[in-house]
Amino acid sequence: MQIHYLEIVTPEVDAICASHEQQHGVTFSKYDPGLGNARTAVLANGGMIGVRAPMHESEEPVVRPYLLVKDIDAVIATAERCGGEIAHPPMEIPGHGKFAIYIQGGIHHGLWQL
């Protein structure tokens, strides 16, 4: 397993980015509309970390890892058969690949396909 994208949803985007920049010596980008206006930084393994604000009133703060997969449709179908609730079906993000989210055991699980 490889984490391709680590998403942090928080109302304190700039403060979290500043903290990570100082602690880990990374630089966060400006807001990326393609990733829900996340500010992103590159991880040592080539993946990314993104910090964004909630996109609607009911979205709670969360840390959500997105695992890199070869066939997102097959993996999301398996997750659903195993009792996962599909929170977001596979969707293409131009220039970034395809993502999906399912919830199982109260935990958000992200998937990413390049």
Side-chain angles (χ1 to χ4, degrees):
M1 283 193 292
Q2 177 181 337
I3 294 176
H4 177 71
Y5 186 64
L6 182 65
E7 180 177 50
I8 298 172
V9 178
T10 176
E12 299 181 18
V13 173
D14 292 333
I16 296 295
C17 289
S19 177
H20 282 290
E21 286 178 336
Q22 291 175 28
Q23 294 168 357
H24 305 288
V26 297
T27 301
F28 280 85
S29 68
K30 296 296 180 195
Y31 298 92
D32 183 339
L35 295 172
N37 286 321
R39 294 185 60 196
T40 61
V42 177
L43 298 170
N45 71 356
M48 289 190 307
I49 182 171
V51 183
R52 68 169 177 82
M55 295 200 296
H56 47 80
E57 282 185 19
S58 64
E59 186 173 25
E60 298 281 331
V62 67
V63 175
R64 181 184 298 125
Y66 287 79
L67 297 176
L68 191 58
V69 298
K70 290 182 182 180
D71 185 344
I72 200 166
D73 296 310
V75 174
I76 202 78
T78 299
E80 191 168 33
R81 279 194 310 274
C82 292
E85 172 191 346
I86 308 307
H88 201 294
M91 183 179 103
E92 183 78 27
I93 300 175
H96 293 288
K98 192 184 279 190
F99 85 99
I101 301 168
Y102 69 96
I103 302 169
Q104 190 165 19
I107 303 296
H108 287 227
H109 301 268
L111 304 171
W112 206 282
Q113 178 182 320
L114 298 176

